[in-house]
Amino acid sequence: MENIKAYVQENKDRFINELIELLKIPSVSADTAYSQDVIDTSEAVKLSLEKAGCDFVEICETDGYPIVYGQKMIDPALPTILVYGHYDVQPADPIELWTSPPFEPVIKTTDIHPEGAIFARGACDDKGQMYMHVKAFEYMIQNNNLPCNVKFMIEGEEEVGSVNLKTFVENNTEKLKNDVILISDTGMISNQQPSITTGLRGLSYVEVEVTGPNRDLHSGLYGGAVANPINILAKMISSLHDENNHITIPGFYDNVEELSLEERAEMAKAPFSLEKYKNALKLNDVYGEKGYTTNERNSIRPTLDVNGIWGGYIGEGAKTVIASQAFAKISMRLVPNQDWEVITELFTKHFMSIAPAGVTVKVKPHHGGQGYVTPIDSIGYQAANMAYTETFGTPAIPVRSGGSIPIVALFEKELKSKTILMGFGLDSDAIHSPNEHFGIFNYLKGIETIPLFYKYFVELSKK
Ligand code: BES
Ligand code: MN
Ligand code: MN
């Protein structure tokens, strides 16, 4: 694989242009206004897999958006790598905060990406990272050095909970049979310091609704005499954390895995500057659960956050009104051993129980998934580390991430194989935010590193 660097150099303009074409299609899975675009993107992904050298590619219809499946089987006696990624993206709003339109990709330089980064929704999460795998595969086909079998499963509903993928995986365990699952949909510490994600948090996502009077009321005529659903909702939400920022839901922490002091000390060795962290977010201080560091708060500890809250009048000027209803969307990030369905139930029970007389409360569960941790002594982890060591000149550090890819825990349960999370994004790439981007360095480095994972995985599997 000595010539991978040269292949990337020779083809980099084409690699970038192909990704740009993919990024132009607004495959927003959350918004039905884009449903044709999501479908068009699945076709584009199918075509790219065929062109790269898969000998079988199909669009698998589901009750939602299709899953693109492709494969190249060279020898049943060799190991099989299953690559997973997603071609759907988050909504682009708030659109006015983008410095260039989200679906008109442009290359701009930043302090962190002096060699340029592609700015577009999905550039990093996950079209750019998914496409690295297609191009790495193309290289191995073109150079006749694909060392094992490969299967691709690229879905279009990751950003909305992978509900249909779950059924697909359960019904196709034989087709998806593999020795290791490889995903690039996470990040790394910095362009100088690669890391491998060894943990993902679980998730429980709910929507709550507080109803007071049967109609919006004059806030003078009725104010003070009836429960105001917005006041009540705010009060209920604020009671969900105590003065130490612990979550107050009874039983919430029951199964939380407590890390030993040694494990925490090991984690703290990863390079991290609190000053830089605050600076990057223009914060005068960080905030979170007492007794834990910033990196612990966003990886090994569970959280509860309001993601959106609305009700009443928010138009121009003032309107004196007591709204009939108030709403909020709440996410709880969970850690290993916390079961998301149990947590959803605990939340629901508690939230209903703290509702005062004068309002009615509804809790609607959205979606969720279990967390994931993976050991660092597996062949997959070692192969990934060898690949990074070669392309970055320094070994990767294992890091538990705060994000969630709920399907990963299901893969392990249904397909009985480990997932290796080789992410090439950076926290500063602004995924889910305005001005999402993906460094050209990161994109090309990913394409360079992936074939080495294949090589070392096959080598280590023989031993
Ligand atoms: N790629 C992200 C998850 C991620 C990003 C994990 C960075 C680790 C580091 C994924 O697309 C995502 O956004 N997942 C959702 C969960 C899903 C159920 C909507 C999330 O974490 O909010
Ligand atoms: Mn993603
Ligand atoms: Mn995402």
Side-chain angles (χ1 to χ4, degrees):
M1 311 225 154
E2 312 72 44
N3 53 357
I4 173 70
K5 264 195 160 67
Y7 189 82
V8 169
Q9 279 313 311
E10 276 158 33
N11 294 282
K12 67 177 183 194
D13 291 342
R14 178 173 58 85
F15 290 172
I16 292 167
N17 290 332
E18 286 178 14
L19 174 57
I20 285 178
E21 287 309 307
L22 199 60
L23 290 167
K24 284 182 186 168
I25 324 175
S27 50
V28 180
S29 51
D31 187 344
T32 50
Y34 296 97
S35 50
Q36 190 55 47
D37 298 297
V38 184
I39 292 165
D40 290 350
T41 309
S42 72
E43 290 292 343
V45 171
K46 174 175 186 259
L47 207 66
S48 75
L49 285 171
E50 282 165 352
K51 274 196 186 160
C54 281
D55 43 32
F56 174 71
V57 188
E58 64 177 336
I59 297 268
C60 305
E61 298 298 338
T62 71
D63 287 344
Y65 290 121
I67 294 160
V68 186
Y69 175 83
Q71 64 177 40
K72 176 84 188 171
M73 302 301 283
I74 57 171
D75 180 351
L78 285 168
T80 300
I81 296 176
L82 173 67
V83 175
Y84 162 83
H86 62 95
Y87 64 82
D88 64 321
V89 302
Q90 282 277 323
D93 357 22
I95 208 125
E96 65 281 6
L97 296 183
W98 285 75
T99 53
S100 54
F103 300 107
E104 293 172 30
V106 282
I107 297 174
K108 290 184 263 195
T109 57
T110 71
D111 290 349
I112 292 177
H113 297 293
E115 67 301 298
I118 307 176
F119 280 71
R121 172 55 88 230
C124 176
D125 183 12
D126 180 41
K127 282 177 177 164
Q129 297 213 70
M130 175 272 288
Y131 207 65
M132 297 180 316
H133 286 270
V134 181
K135 295 297 101 177
F137 171 65
E138 173 198 297
Y139 156 75
M140 290 182 281
I141 293 293
Q142 290 301 319
N143 285 270
N144 263 318
N145 59 4
L146 178 69
C148 59
N149 307 306
V150 54
K151 296 176 177 175
F152 291 91
M153 178 170 62
I154 315 294
E155 72 151 321
E157 296 186 307
E158 196 277 342
E159 298 293 7
V160 289
S162 302
V163 182
N164 294 297
L165 182 69
K166 184 170 183 277
T167 320
F168 181 78
V169 171
E170 286 163 355
N171 293 337
N172 290 282
T173 51
E174 199 47 43
K175 178 189 190 121
L176 300 172
K177 205 165 171 282
N178 65 80
D179 297 280
V180 72
I181 298 166
L182 186 59
I183 304 180
S184 296
D185 192 23
T186 53
M188 58 179 186
I189 293 174
S190 74
N191 284 356
Q192 291 71 43
Q193 179 56 66
S195 53
I196 299 171
T197 304
T198 51
L200 292 164
R201 286 195 286 193
L203 178 71
S204 162
Y205 200 104
V206 298
E207 190 169 320
V208 299
E209 180 189 298
V210 176
T211 306
N214 63 351
R215 58 184 165 92
D216 287 7
L217 301 173
H218 188 289
S219 66
L221 292 182
Y222 289 92
V226 297
N228 176 330
I230 302 177
N231 291 12
I232 301 289
L233 176 61
K235 216 173 175 171
M236 288 170 74
I237 287 171
S238 71
S239 79
L240 297 175
H241 290 93
D242 68 13
E243 66 285 4
N244 294 322
N245 276 313
H246 289 302
I247 294 155
T248 55
I249 300 168
F252 187 85
Y253 290 98
D254 279 1
N255 296 313
V256 168
E257 166 207 47
E258 293 289 343
L259 267 66
S260 67
L261 287 175
E262 291 76 45
E263 285 171 300
R264 291 173 65 184
E266 194 52 43
M267 264 186 76
K269 285 186 190 157
F272 175 73
S273 152
L274 191 59
E275 275 320 298
K276 280 194 189 148
Y277 185 87
K278 289 194 285 190
N279 255 330
L281 302 175
K282 298 271 182 297
L283 288 171
N284 58 20
D285 208 351
V286 290
Y287 185 89
E289 188 181 1
K290 196 176 169 188
Y292 295 92
T293 65
T294 293
N295 274 337
E296 290 171 341
R297 287 170 179 167
N298 68 24
S299 64
I300 59 164
R301 299 299 295 167
T303 61
L304 183 153
D305 279 294
V306 177
N307 292 234
I309 182 163
W310 68 102
Y313 182 71
I314 53 164
E316 200 184 329
K319 178 186 182 196
T320 49
V321 66
I322 290 176
S324 161
Q325 288 192 301
F327 306 84
K329 291 183 194 279
I330 297 175
S331 70
M332 287 163 276
R333 296 284 169 169
L334 310 174
V335 296
N337 302 338
Q338 278 184 298
D339 182 281
W340 77 274
E341 286 173 294
V342 170
I343 293 292
T344 305
E345 260 172 51
L346 290 176
F347 174 91
T348 307
K349 217 171 121 205
H350 178 68
F351 205 71
M352 306 290 283
S353 80
I354 60 173
V359 296
T360 53
V361 169
K362 273 192 197 147
V363 177
K364 286 186 265 179
H366 263 271
H367 56 75
Q370 314 295 28
Y372 186 70
V373 265
T374 187
I376 64 170
D377 57 6
S378 68
I379 315 178
Y381 186 92
Q382 288 174 31
N385 195 21
M386 286 161 80
Y388 280 106
T389 307
E390 196 162 319
T391 51
F392 284 83
T394 181
I397 294 177
V399 170
R400 279 169 64 161
S401 171
S404 309
I405 311 176
I407 205 69
V408 171
L410 185 95
F411 286 160
E412 180 147 317
K413 182 168 164 254
E414 295 293 329
L415 305 175
K416 317 265 182 282
S417 48
K418 292 263 170 275
T419 291
I420 302 301
L421 297 156
M422 284 178 81
F424 292 87
L426 299 179
D427 284 355
S428 55
D429 288 346
I431 64 170
H432 293 207
S433 306
N435 305 309
E436 174 177 355
H437 54 278
F438 190 35
I440 302 283
F441 169 90
N442 305 66
Y443 180 50
L444 300 178
K445 209 59 159 179
I447 300 172
E448 217 181 282
T449 310
I450 291 163
L452 294 167
F453 172 84
Y454 280 59
K455 174 182 151 187
Y456 292 124
F457 184 75
V458 174
E459 276 179 25
L460 292 175
S461 300
K462 278 185 203 145
K463 289 190 183 149

